[in-house]
Amino acid sequence: MRRKTAAMLLLIGCQADPLSPRPDAPTPEGDEPEPEIGQCDDAPILDRMGLDAQWADQIMPLLTRDPLDGGCAACHAPGTSHEVVIWADDPARTLDALWAGGLLTADGQPGGFVDVLSPTADLRMPLGGAVWPTAERQAVADFTCVLQQSGLEPPEPCIDDTDPGHTPLRRLSRFEYDHTVFALTGETTPSGDRLPADDPAFGFDTVAVAQQFSVEHLRRYQAVAESIAQNTLEDPQPLLVQLEAETLAGFLHSGAPITNPAHGRPIDGHFHFQRINAYVTTGLISFVYPGTYTLTVRVRAWMGDERAKRDDVWEIVDSPVAPMIRISLGGTEVTTRVVEGVYEGWGEWVEISVPVEIDAYPQDIRVGIANAFWGAYRQRDVELDLDWIEVFGPEVDDLPVPDAARLDRFL
């Protein structure tokens, strides 16, 4: 979890990793000696008016210059999410805020103003900006000595009764989200492209005003959260889904929707096949675990004749003929089965079950008639009705074994 020393947060205003500076951050030229922090014996003693004047003349111009030259005011401006605020047009107010916050100490304490200006500091500021020359860092160190020698009481922290305006809520960045999830659950899968990228502002990707949160963000976060919960609290259960015929989509083997009712159509809660090139599909079913699944279909048959046309005369060459059902997984045929019925009428509804090896990715199941045929010179007059398709599996032996200790830990 993030470190939360007051001075550190006041100065950096973000959760940047101090051990991972930007690769393009400049480094000091030469081996300039550091200011002699704490050597304040010869510092003059000034009253408040003198302190204000020295601060305004010597320090504020350094703080309000361009950020690439080492300035601070552009990032730490009023209205940003930073806790340290520099009022470019009000030097005295800025001095009071830093002084009251305990940041202008003469001993160079970690996280203090003098410390973060050092090119060797873990949290050197401005992050990614120019390194302050020795003379400028010395000017700040000298001012802290003058402040100490003057012996004045620091002002009370400012409590402003005016409305500060809107303060946006800040969500976790993808990096922070991943590390928080890892700390809580041990989940190491990075959110990566599963979450939208974090918009940067002022060189950081953790600034609240830049972190938009849309409906798409919410949808993505929900999907990631469900995935993490599944991985953390996995209690494998077999899939059981039953799809009624009237909810299925009818297609031709070419992949086009059925437009000719003679090829196949839903009738009174079931799907009626009259042509071999018609089938229905479940649409994509999400198979979470690979293994052996049982596909079951409820169908009934109308047995008919097979006729051939000879010398313009139709002759029966086979009778009675039972229809055959074709079951496919996607475009791969699983089985064809004869469905017995009665001649010139509908037989009883029967259930046909088939074991199928299925991989763990979305797939569809297709059911159609395999041996109906209507041509100019030969016809096989059989018909088939489908009531529903059921999928169950995988078998218990194919399910992952739940980690009881892990479940106990998180539940």
Short mmCIF file of all heavy atoms in Angstrom, two decimals, residues 176-239:
data_model
loop_
_atom_site.label_atom_id
_atom_site.label_comp_id
_atom_site.label_asym_id
_atom_site.label_seq_id
_atom_site.Cartn_x
_atom_site.Cartn_y
_atom_site.Cartn_z
N GLU A 176 -2.26 0.59 -10.13
CA GLU A 176 -2.66 0.51 -8.72
C GLU A 176 -3.72 -0.57 -8.51
O GLU A 176 -3.70 -1.28 -7.50
CB GLU A 176 -3.20 1.87 -8.26
CG GLU A 176 -2.15 2.96 -8.24
CD GLU A 176 -2.73 4.34 -8.04
OE1 GLU A 176 -3.85 4.59 -8.51
OE2 GLU A 176 -2.08 5.17 -7.39
N TYR A 177 -4.64 -0.69 -9.46
CA TYR A 177 -5.69 -1.71 -9.36
C TYR A 177 -5.07 -3.11 -9.33
O TYR A 177 -5.42 -3.95 -8.49
CB TYR A 177 -6.64 -1.57 -10.54
CG TYR A 177 -7.86 -2.46 -10.49
CD1 TYR A 177 -9.02 -2.04 -9.86
CD2 TYR A 177 -7.85 -3.72 -11.07
CE1 TYR A 177 -10.15 -2.84 -9.82
CE2 TYR A 177 -8.96 -4.54 -11.02
CZ TYR A 177 -10.11 -4.10 -10.40
OH TYR A 177 -11.21 -4.90 -10.35
N ASP A 178 -4.13 -3.36 -10.24
CA ASP A 178 -3.49 -4.68 -10.30
C ASP A 178 -2.77 -5.00 -9.00
O ASP A 178 -2.85 -6.13 -8.49
CB ASP A 178 -2.50 -4.74 -11.46
CG ASP A 178 -3.19 -4.78 -12.81
OD1 ASP A 178 -4.39 -5.09 -12.84
OD2 ASP A 178 -2.53 -4.50 -13.83
N HIS A 179 -2.05 -4.03 -8.45
CA HIS A 179 -1.28 -4.29 -7.24
C HIS A 179 -2.19 -4.43 -6.02
O HIS A 179 -1.89 -5.20 -5.11
CB HIS A 179 -0.25 -3.18 -7.03
CG HIS A 179 0.96 -3.34 -7.90
ND1 HIS A 179 2.13 -3.91 -7.45
CD2 HIS A 179 1.16 -3.06 -9.20
CE1 HIS A 179 3.01 -3.94 -8.43
NE2 HIS A 179 2.44 -3.44 -9.51
N THR A 180 -3.31 -3.71 -6.00
CA THR A 180 -4.26 -3.86 -4.90
C THR A 180 -4.91 -5.25 -4.95
O THR A 180 -5.04 -5.92 -3.92
CB THR A 180 -5.34 -2.77 -4.98
OG1 THR A 180 -4.72 -1.49 -4.95
CG2 THR A 180 -6.31 -2.88 -3.81
N VAL A 181 -5.30 -5.68 -6.14
CA VAL A 181 -5.90 -7.01 -6.29
C VAL A 181 -4.90 -8.09 -5.89
O VAL A 181 -5.25 -9.07 -5.21
CB VAL A 181 -6.38 -7.21 -7.74
CG1 VAL A 181 -6.71 -8.67 -8.01
CG2 VAL A 181 -7.58 -6.33 -8.02
N PHE A 182 -3.64 -7.91 -6.29
CA PHE A 182 -2.62 -8.89 -5.92
C PHE A 182 -2.45 -8.96 -4.40
O PHE A 182 -2.34 -10.04 -3.82
CB PHE A 182 -1.28 -8.54 -6.57
CG PHE A 182 -0.14 -9.42 -6.12
CD1 PHE A 182 -0.03 -10.73 -6.57
CD2 PHE A 182 0.80 -8.95 -5.22
CE1 PHE A 182 1.00 -11.55 -6.14
CE2 PHE A 182 1.83 -9.76 -4.78
CZ PHE A 182 1.94 -11.07 -5.24
N ALA A 183 -2.45 -7.79 -3.74
CA ALA A 183 -2.29 -7.78 -2.28
C ALA A 183 -3.46 -8.47 -1.59
O ALA A 183 -3.30 -9.11 -0.55
CB ALA A 183 -2.16 -6.33 -1.79
N LEU A 184 -4.65 -8.36 -2.17
CA LEU A 184 -5.85 -8.93 -1.54
C LEU A 184 -6.05 -10.40 -1.86
O LEU A 184 -6.47 -11.18 -1.00
CB LEU A 184 -7.09 -8.15 -1.97
CG LEU A 184 -7.21 -6.71 -1.47
CD1 LEU A 184 -8.40 -6.03 -2.12
CD2 LEU A 184 -7.32 -6.67 0.04
N THR A 185 -5.77 -10.79 -3.10
CA THR A 185 -6.16 -12.12 -3.56
C THR A 185 -5.01 -12.97 -4.08
O THR A 185 -5.17 -14.17 -4.25
CB THR A 185 -7.20 -12.02 -4.68
OG1 THR A 185 -6.58 -11.49 -5.86
CG2 THR A 185 -8.36 -11.13 -4.27
N GLY A 186 -3.88 -12.35 -4.38
CA GLY A 186 -2.80 -13.09 -5.01
C GLY A 186 -2.97 -13.22 -6.51
O GLY A 186 -2.16 -13.86 -7.18
N GLU A 187 -4.02 -12.63 -7.08
CA GLU A 187 -4.28 -12.66 -8.51
C GLU A 187 -3.21 -11.86 -9.24
O GLU A 187 -3.01 -10.67 -8.97
CB GLU A 187 -5.67 -12.08 -8.81
CG GLU A 187 -5.95 -11.79 -10.27
CD GLU A 187 -6.16 -13.06 -11.07
OE1 GLU A 187 -6.88 -13.96 -10.60
OE2 GLU A 187 -5.60 -13.14 -12.17
N THR A 188 -2.52 -12.48 -10.19
CA THR A 188 -1.40 -11.82 -10.86
C THR A 188 -1.70 -11.48 -12.31
O THR A 188 -0.85 -10.91 -12.99
CB THR A 188 -0.14 -12.72 -10.83
OG1 THR A 188 -0.45 -13.97 -11.47
CG2 THR A 188 0.30 -12.97 -9.41
N THR A 189 -2.89 -11.79 -12.80
CA THR A 189 -3.22 -11.48 -14.19
C THR A 189 -3.37 -9.98 -14.35
O THR A 189 -4.21 -9.37 -13.69
CB THR A 189 -4.54 -12.15 -14.60
OG1 THR A 189 -4.43 -13.56 -14.41
CG2 THR A 189 -4.84 -11.86 -16.06
N PRO A 190 -2.54 -9.33 -15.18
CA PRO A 190 -2.64 -7.88 -15.31
C PRO A 190 -3.93 -7.48 -16.02
O PRO A 190 -4.43 -8.20 -16.88
CB PRO A 190 -1.41 -7.52 -16.15
CG PRO A 190 -1.10 -8.76 -16.91
CD PRO A 190 -1.49 -9.91 -16.01
N SER A 191 -4.48 -6.34 -15.60
CA SER A 191 -5.71 -5.87 -16.24
C SER A 191 -5.44 -5.48 -17.68
O SER A 191 -6.29 -5.65 -18.55
CB SER A 191 -6.29 -4.68 -15.47
OG SER A 191 -5.35 -3.64 -15.38
N GLY A 192 -4.24 -4.98 -17.98
CA GLY A 192 -3.79 -4.73 -19.34
C GLY A 192 -4.87 -4.16 -20.24
O GLY A 192 -5.46 -3.13 -19.94
N ASP A 193 -5.12 -4.86 -21.36
CA ASP A 193 -6.09 -4.34 -22.30
C ASP A 193 -7.53 -4.61 -21.88
O ASP A 193 -8.47 -4.26 -22.58
CB ASP A 193 -5.85 -4.94 -23.70
CG ASP A 193 -5.91 -6.46 -23.71
OD1 ASP A 193 -6.15 -7.04 -22.63
OD2 ASP A 193 -5.72 -7.06 -24.78
N ARG A 194 -7.72 -5.23 -20.71
CA ARG A 194 -9.09 -5.45 -20.22
C ARG A 194 -9.70 -4.17 -19.67
O ARG A 194 -10.92 -4.06 -19.55
CB ARG A 194 -9.11 -6.54 -19.15
CG ARG A 194 -8.62 -7.90 -19.64
CD ARG A 194 -8.83 -8.97 -18.60
NE ARG A 194 -8.09 -8.72 -17.39
CZ ARG A 194 -8.22 -9.43 -16.27
NH1 ARG A 194 -9.08 -10.43 -16.23
NH2 ARG A 194 -7.49 -9.15 -15.21
N LEU A 195 -8.87 -3.20 -19.27
CA LEU A 195 -9.34 -1.93 -18.76
C LEU A 195 -8.87 -0.82 -19.68
O LEU A 195 -7.78 -0.89 -20.25
CB LEU A 195 -8.82 -1.68 -17.33
CG LEU A 195 -9.35 -2.61 -16.24
CD1 LEU A 195 -8.69 -2.28 -14.92
CD2 LEU A 195 -10.86 -2.50 -16.12
N PRO A 196 -9.67 0.25 -19.82
CA PRO A 196 -9.23 1.38 -20.65
C PRO A 196 -7.96 2.01 -20.09
O PRO A 196 -7.70 1.98 -18.88
CB PRO A 196 -10.41 2.36 -20.57
CG PRO A 196 -11.58 1.53 -20.16
CD PRO A 196 -11.03 0.44 -19.29
N ALA A 197 -7.15 2.57 -20.98
CA ALA A 197 -5.91 3.22 -20.56
C ALA A 197 -6.22 4.43 -19.68
O ALA A 197 -7.28 5.06 -19.80
CB ALA A 197 -5.10 3.64 -21.78
N ASP A 198 -5.29 4.75 -18.78
CA ASP A 198 -5.44 5.90 -17.89
C ASP A 198 -4.90 7.14 -18.58
O ASP A 198 -3.76 7.17 -19.03
CB ASP A 198 -4.68 5.67 -16.58
CG ASP A 198 -5.19 4.45 -15.83
OD1 ASP A 198 -6.39 4.42 -15.54
OD2 ASP A 198 -4.39 3.53 -15.57
N ASP A 199 -5.74 8.18 -18.66
CA ASP A 199 -5.31 9.42 -19.31
C ASP A 199 -4.34 10.17 -18.42
O ASP A 199 -4.61 10.39 -17.24
CB ASP A 199 -6.53 10.31 -19.59
CG ASP A 199 -7.47 9.68 -20.61
OD1 ASP A 199 -6.97 8.99 -21.51
OD2 ASP A 199 -8.69 9.87 -20.48
N PRO A 200 -3.19 10.58 -18.96
CA PRO A 200 -2.22 11.33 -18.14
C PRO A 200 -2.56 12.80 -18.07
O PRO A 200 -3.24 13.36 -18.95
CB PRO A 200 -0.90 11.11 -18.90
CG PRO A 200 -1.33 10.95 -20.33
CD PRO A 200 -2.68 10.28 -20.30
N ALA A 201 -2.11 13.45 -17.01
CA ALA A 201 -2.22 14.90 -16.84
C ALA A 201 -1.05 15.36 -15.97
O ALA A 201 -0.74 14.71 -14.97
CB ALA A 201 -3.55 15.30 -16.21
N PHE A 202 -0.41 16.44 -16.37
CA PHE A 202 0.75 16.97 -15.64
C PHE A 202 1.86 15.93 -15.52
O PHE A 202 2.63 15.93 -14.57
CB PHE A 202 0.36 17.48 -14.24
CG PHE A 202 -0.79 18.44 -14.24
CD1 PHE A 202 -2.02 18.07 -13.72
CD2 PHE A 202 -0.66 19.71 -14.77
CE1 PHE A 202 -3.09 18.95 -13.72
CE2 PHE A 202 -1.72 20.60 -14.78
CZ PHE A 202 -2.94 20.22 -14.26
N GLY A 203 1.89 14.97 -16.46
CA GLY A 203 2.94 13.96 -16.42
C GLY A 203 2.61 12.74 -15.58
O GLY A 203 3.44 11.83 -15.47
N PHE A 204 1.42 12.68 -14.99
CA PHE A 204 1.03 11.55 -14.13
C PHE A 204 -0.24 10.91 -14.68
O PHE A 204 -1.06 11.57 -15.32
CB PHE A 204 0.78 12.01 -12.68
CG PHE A 204 1.96 12.67 -12.04
CD1 PHE A 204 2.06 14.05 -12.00
CD2 PHE A 204 2.97 11.91 -11.47
CE1 PHE A 204 3.16 14.66 -11.42
CE2 PHE A 204 4.06 12.52 -10.88
CZ PHE A 204 4.15 13.90 -10.85
N ASP A 205 -0.43 9.62 -14.38
CA ASP A 205 -1.67 8.95 -14.78
C ASP A 205 -2.58 8.72 -13.59
O ASP A 205 -3.47 7.87 -13.62
CB ASP A 205 -1.38 7.63 -15.49
CG ASP A 205 -0.67 6.62 -14.60
OD1 ASP A 205 -0.43 6.92 -13.41
OD2 ASP A 205 -0.36 5.51 -15.08
N THR A 206 -2.37 9.48 -12.52
CA THR A 206 -3.17 9.31 -11.30
C THR A 206 -3.85 10.61 -10.88
O THR A 206 -4.24 10.75 -9.73
CB THR A 206 -2.27 8.83 -10.14
OG1 THR A 206 -1.17 9.72 -9.99
CG2 THR A 206 -1.76 7.43 -10.40
N VAL A 207 -3.97 11.56 -11.79
CA VAL A 207 -4.59 12.85 -11.48
C VAL A 207 -6.09 12.73 -11.66
O VAL A 207 -6.58 12.34 -12.72
CB VAL A 207 -4.01 13.96 -12.37
CG1 VAL A 207 -4.67 15.30 -12.06
CG2 VAL A 207 -2.50 14.06 -12.18
N ALA A 208 -6.83 13.09 -10.61
CA ALA A 208 -8.27 12.84 -10.60
C ALA A 208 -8.99 13.55 -11.73
O ALA A 208 -9.91 12.99 -12.34
CB ALA A 208 -8.86 13.28 -9.25
N VAL A 209 -8.60 14.78 -12.04
CA VAL A 209 -9.34 15.54 -13.04
C VAL A 209 -9.24 14.92 -14.43
O VAL A 209 -10.06 15.20 -15.30
CB VAL A 209 -8.86 17.00 -13.08
CG1 VAL A 209 -9.20 17.72 -11.79
CG2 VAL A 209 -7.36 17.07 -13.35
N ALA A 210 -8.22 14.08 -14.64
CA ALA A 210 -8.04 13.46 -15.96
C ALA A 210 -8.62 12.06 -16.02
O ALA A 210 -8.69 11.47 -17.10
CB ALA A 210 -6.55 13.40 -16.31
N GLN A 211 -9.03 11.53 -14.90
CA GLN A 211 -9.50 10.13 -14.88
C GLN A 211 -11.00 10.08 -15.15
O GLN A 211 -11.81 10.10 -14.23
CB GLN A 211 -9.16 9.48 -13.54
CG GLN A 211 -7.67 9.27 -13.35
CD GLN A 211 -7.37 8.62 -12.02
OE1 GLN A 211 -8.09 8.83 -11.06
NE2 GLN A 211 -6.30 7.86 -11.97
N GLN A 212 -11.33 10.02 -16.41
CA GLN A 212 -12.73 9.91 -16.79
C GLN A 212 -13.28 8.54 -16.39
O GLN A 212 -12.54 7.57 -16.29
CB GLN A 212 -12.88 10.13 -18.29
CG GLN A 212 -12.33 11.45 -18.78
CD GLN A 212 -13.03 12.63 -18.16
OE1 GLN A 212 -14.26 12.63 -18.01
NE2 GLN A 212 -12.28 13.65 -17.78
N PHE A 213 -14.59 8.49 -16.16
CA PHE A 213 -15.23 7.20 -15.82
C PHE A 213 -16.55 7.13 -16.56
O PHE A 213 -17.52 7.81 -16.20
CB PHE A 213 -15.45 7.07 -14.32
CG PHE A 213 -15.68 5.65 -13.88
CD1 PHE A 213 -14.61 4.82 -13.63
CD2 PHE A 213 -16.95 5.15 -13.75
CE1 PHE A 213 -14.80 3.50 -13.24
CE2 PHE A 213 -17.17 3.84 -13.36
CZ PHE A 213 -16.09 3.02 -13.11
N SER A 214 -16.57 6.34 -17.61
CA SER A 214 -17.73 6.24 -18.48
C SER A 214 -18.47 4.93 -18.24
O SER A 214 -18.05 4.09 -17.44
CB SER A 214 -17.28 6.32 -19.95
OG SER A 214 -16.46 5.20 -20.25
N VAL A 215 -19.57 4.74 -18.97
CA VAL A 215 -20.30 3.49 -18.91
C VAL A 215 -19.40 2.34 -19.37
O VAL A 215 -19.44 1.23 -18.83
CB VAL A 215 -21.57 3.57 -19.77
CG1 VAL A 215 -22.26 2.21 -19.85
CG2 VAL A 215 -22.52 4.61 -19.21
N GLU A 216 -18.54 2.60 -20.37
CA GLU A 216 -17.62 1.58 -20.86
C GLU A 216 -16.62 1.19 -19.76
O GLU A 216 -16.29 0.01 -19.60
CB GLU A 216 -16.88 2.08 -22.10
CG GLU A 216 -15.85 1.11 -22.65
CD GLU A 216 -16.43 -0.19 -23.15
OE1 GLU A 216 -17.67 -0.29 -23.30
OE2 GLU A 216 -15.66 -1.14 -23.41
N HIS A 217 -16.13 2.19 -18.99
CA HIS A 217 -15.26 1.88 -17.86
C HIS A 217 -15.98 0.93 -16.90
O HIS A 217 -15.41 -0.06 -16.44
CB HIS A 217 -14.88 3.16 -17.11
CG HIS A 217 -13.73 3.90 -17.71
ND1 HIS A 217 -13.91 4.81 -18.73
CD2 HIS A 217 -12.40 3.87 -17.45
CE1 HIS A 217 -12.73 5.32 -19.06
NE2 HIS A 217 -11.80 4.77 -18.32
N LEU A 218 -17.23 1.28 -16.57
CA LEU A 218 -17.98 0.46 -15.62
C LEU A 218 -18.15 -0.96 -16.13
O LEU A 218 -17.97 -1.94 -15.39
CB LEU A 218 -19.35 1.09 -15.37
CG LEU A 218 -20.25 0.38 -14.35
CD1 LEU A 218 -19.59 0.32 -12.99
CD2 LEU A 218 -21.60 1.08 -14.27
N ARG A 219 -18.46 -1.11 -17.42
CA ARG A 219 -18.64 -2.44 -18.00
C ARG A 219 -17.34 -3.24 -17.93
O ARG A 219 -17.33 -4.41 -17.58
CB ARG A 219 -19.10 -2.30 -19.46
CG ARG A 219 -19.47 -3.62 -20.11
CD ARG A 219 -19.78 -3.44 -21.58
NE ARG A 219 -18.60 -3.12 -22.35
CZ ARG A 219 -17.70 -4.02 -22.75
NH1 ARG A 219 -17.87 -5.30 -22.44
NH2 ARG A 219 -16.64 -3.66 -23.43
N ARG A 220 -16.22 -2.57 -18.26
CA ARG A 220 -14.92 -3.27 -18.25
C ARG A 220 -14.54 -3.66 -16.82
O ARG A 220 -14.05 -4.77 -16.58
CB ARG A 220 -13.84 -2.36 -18.84
CG ARG A 220 -14.04 -2.01 -20.30
CD ARG A 220 -13.46 -3.07 -21.22
NE ARG A 220 -13.29 -2.55 -22.57
CZ ARG A 220 -12.18 -2.02 -23.05
NH1 ARG A 220 -11.10 -1.95 -22.29
NH2 ARG A 220 -12.12 -1.57 -24.29
N TYR A 221 -14.71 -2.73 -15.87
CA TYR A 221 -14.37 -3.04 -14.48
C TYR A 221 -15.22 -4.20 -13.96
O TYR A 221 -14.75 -5.05 -13.20
CB TYR A 221 -14.55 -1.82 -13.58
CG TYR A 221 -13.33 -0.96 -13.46
CD1 TYR A 221 -13.22 0.25 -14.14
CD2 TYR A 221 -12.24 -1.36 -12.68
CE1 TYR A 221 -12.08 1.04 -14.05
CE2 TYR A 221 -11.10 -0.58 -12.57
CZ TYR A 221 -11.03 0.63 -13.26
OH TYR A 221 -9.90 1.39 -13.16
N GLN A 222 -16.50 -4.24 -14.34
CA GLN A 222 -17.36 -5.33 -13.89
C GLN A 222 -16.86 -6.66 -14.45
O GLN A 222 -16.81 -7.66 -13.72
CB GLN A 222 -18.79 -5.07 -14.35
CG GLN A 222 -19.76 -6.18 -13.90
CD GLN A 222 -21.18 -5.90 -14.32
OE1 GLN A 222 -21.47 -4.89 -14.95
NE2 GLN A 222 -22.08 -6.80 -13.98
N ALA A 223 -16.48 -6.68 -15.72
CA ALA A 223 -15.99 -7.91 -16.32
C ALA A 223 -14.70 -8.38 -15.65
O ALA A 223 -14.52 -9.57 -15.36
CB ALA A 223 -15.76 -7.70 -17.82
N VAL A 224 -13.79 -7.44 -15.38
CA VAL A 224 -12.54 -7.80 -14.71
C VAL A 224 -12.82 -8.30 -13.29
O VAL A 224 -12.23 -9.29 -12.84
CB VAL A 224 -11.58 -6.60 -14.68
CG1 VAL A 224 -10.37 -6.88 -13.80
CG2 VAL A 224 -11.12 -6.26 -16.09
N ALA A 225 -13.73 -7.63 -12.58
CA ALA A 225 -14.06 -8.04 -11.21
C ALA A 225 -14.66 -9.44 -11.19
O ALA A 225 -14.34 -10.25 -10.31
CB ALA A 225 -15.01 -7.03 -10.57
N GLU A 226 -15.52 -9.72 -12.15
CA GLU A 226 -16.12 -11.06 -12.21
C GLU A 226 -15.06 -12.12 -12.49
O GLU A 226 -15.10 -13.22 -11.93
CB GLU A 226 -17.21 -11.09 -13.27
CG GLU A 226 -18.45 -10.30 -12.88
CD GLU A 226 -19.48 -10.25 -13.99
OE1 GLU A 226 -19.15 -10.67 -15.12
OE2 GLU A 226 -20.60 -9.80 -13.74
N SER A 227 -14.11 -11.78 -13.35
CA SER A 227 -13.03 -12.72 -13.65
C SER A 227 -12.17 -12.98 -12.42
O SER A 227 -11.81 -14.12 -12.13
CB SER A 227 -12.17 -12.17 -14.80
OG SER A 227 -11.03 -12.97 -15.00
N ILE A 228 -11.86 -11.92 -11.69
CA ILE A 228 -11.04 -12.07 -10.47
C ILE A 228 -11.80 -12.89 -9.43
O ILE A 228 -11.22 -13.77 -8.77
CB ILE A 228 -10.67 -10.69 -9.92
CG1 ILE A 228 -9.73 -9.97 -10.89
CG2 ILE A 228 -10.03 -10.80 -8.54
CD1 ILE A 228 -9.54 -8.51 -10.56
N ALA A 229 -13.08 -12.61 -9.27
CA ALA A 229 -13.88 -13.38 -8.31
C ALA A 229 -13.94 -14.85 -8.70
O ALA A 229 -13.85 -15.73 -7.85
CB ALA A 229 -15.28 -12.79 -8.22
N GLN A 230 -14.07 -15.10 -10.01
CA GLN A 230 -14.11 -16.48 -10.48
C GLN A 230 -12.81 -17.20 -10.17
O GLN A 230 -12.80 -18.35 -9.70
CB GLN A 230 -14.38 -16.50 -11.99
CG GLN A 230 -14.29 -17.87 -12.65
CD GLN A 230 -15.42 -18.79 -12.25
OE1 GLN A 230 -16.47 -18.33 -11.83
NE2 GLN A 230 -15.21 -20.09 -12.35
N ASN A 231 -11.68 -16.52 -10.42
CA ASN A 231 -10.38 -17.14 -10.18
C ASN A 231 -10.09 -17.30 -8.70
O ASN A 231 -9.40 -18.24 -8.28
CB ASN A 231 -9.27 -16.30 -10.82
CG ASN A 231 -9.35 -16.30 -12.33
OD1 ASN A 231 -9.95 -17.20 -12.91
ND2 ASN A 231 -8.78 -15.30 -12.96
N THR A 232 -10.62 -16.38 -7.89
CA THR A 232 -10.33 -16.40 -6.46
C THR A 232 -11.22 -17.39 -5.72
O THR A 232 -10.76 -18.12 -4.84
CB THR A 232 -10.51 -14.99 -5.86
OG1 THR A 232 -9.65 -14.08 -6.55
CG2 THR A 232 -10.15 -14.98 -4.38
N LEU A 233 -12.49 -17.40 -6.08
CA LEU A 233 -13.47 -18.22 -5.36
C LEU A 233 -14.02 -19.32 -6.26
O LEU A 233 -15.21 -19.58 -6.29
CB LEU A 233 -14.61 -17.34 -4.84
CG LEU A 233 -14.20 -16.21 -3.90
CD1 LEU A 233 -15.41 -15.36 -3.56
CD2 LEU A 233 -13.57 -16.76 -2.64
N GLU A 234 -13.15 -19.92 -7.04
CA GLU A 234 -13.61 -20.91 -8.01
C GLU A 234 -14.20 -22.13 -7.33
O GLU A 234 -13.55 -22.80 -6.53
CB GLU A 234 -12.45 -21.33 -8.91
CG GLU A 234 -12.90 -22.23 -10.05
CD GLU A 234 -11.77 -22.51 -11.01
OE1 GLU A 234 -10.61 -22.52 -10.58
OE2 GLU A 234 -12.06 -22.74 -12.19
N ASP A 235 -15.46 -22.38 -7.61
CA ASP A 235 -16.16 -23.58 -7.14
C ASP A 235 -16.80 -24.21 -8.37
O ASP A 235 -17.95 -23.94 -8.70
CB ASP A 235 -17.22 -23.20 -6.10
CG ASP A 235 -17.90 -24.43 -5.51
OD1 ASP A 235 -17.35 -25.54 -5.68
OD2 ASP A 235 -18.95 -24.28 -4.89
N PRO A 236 -16.04 -25.04 -9.09
CA PRO A 236 -16.49 -25.51 -10.40
C PRO A 236 -17.83 -26.24 -10.34
O PRO A 236 -18.04 -27.13 -9.50
CB PRO A 236 -15.37 -26.46 -10.83
CG PRO A 236 -14.17 -26.04 -10.03
CD PRO A 236 -14.72 -25.58 -8.72
N GLN A 237 -18.72 -25.85 -11.23
CA GLN A 237 -20.03 -26.49 -11.34
C GLN A 237 -20.27 -26.83 -12.81
O GLN A 237 -19.86 -26.10 -13.71
CB GLN A 237 -21.14 -25.55 -10.85
CG GLN A 237 -21.01 -25.16 -9.39
CD GLN A 237 -21.24 -26.34 -8.45
OE1 GLN A 237 -22.02 -27.25 -8.78
NE2 GLN A 237 -20.57 -26.33 -7.32
N PRO A 238 -20.94 -27.96 -13.08
CA PRO A 238 -21.24 -28.30 -14.48
C PRO A 238 -22.26 -27.34 -15.08
O PRO A 238 -23.07 -26.73 -14.37
CB PRO A 238 -21.80 -29.73 -14.39
CG PRO A 238 -22.31 -29.84 -12.99
CD PRO A 238 -21.43 -28.99 -12.14
N LEU A 239 -22.21 -27.22 -16.39
CA LEU A 239 -23.14 -26.38 -17.13
C LEU A 239 -24.41 -27.17 -17.44
O LEU A 239 -24.33 -28.33 -17.84
CB LEU A 239 -22.48 -25.92 -18.43
CG LEU A 239 -23.38 -25.20 -19.44
CD1 LEU A 239 -23.75 -23.81 -18.92
CD2 LEU A 239 -22.67 -25.09 -20.79
#
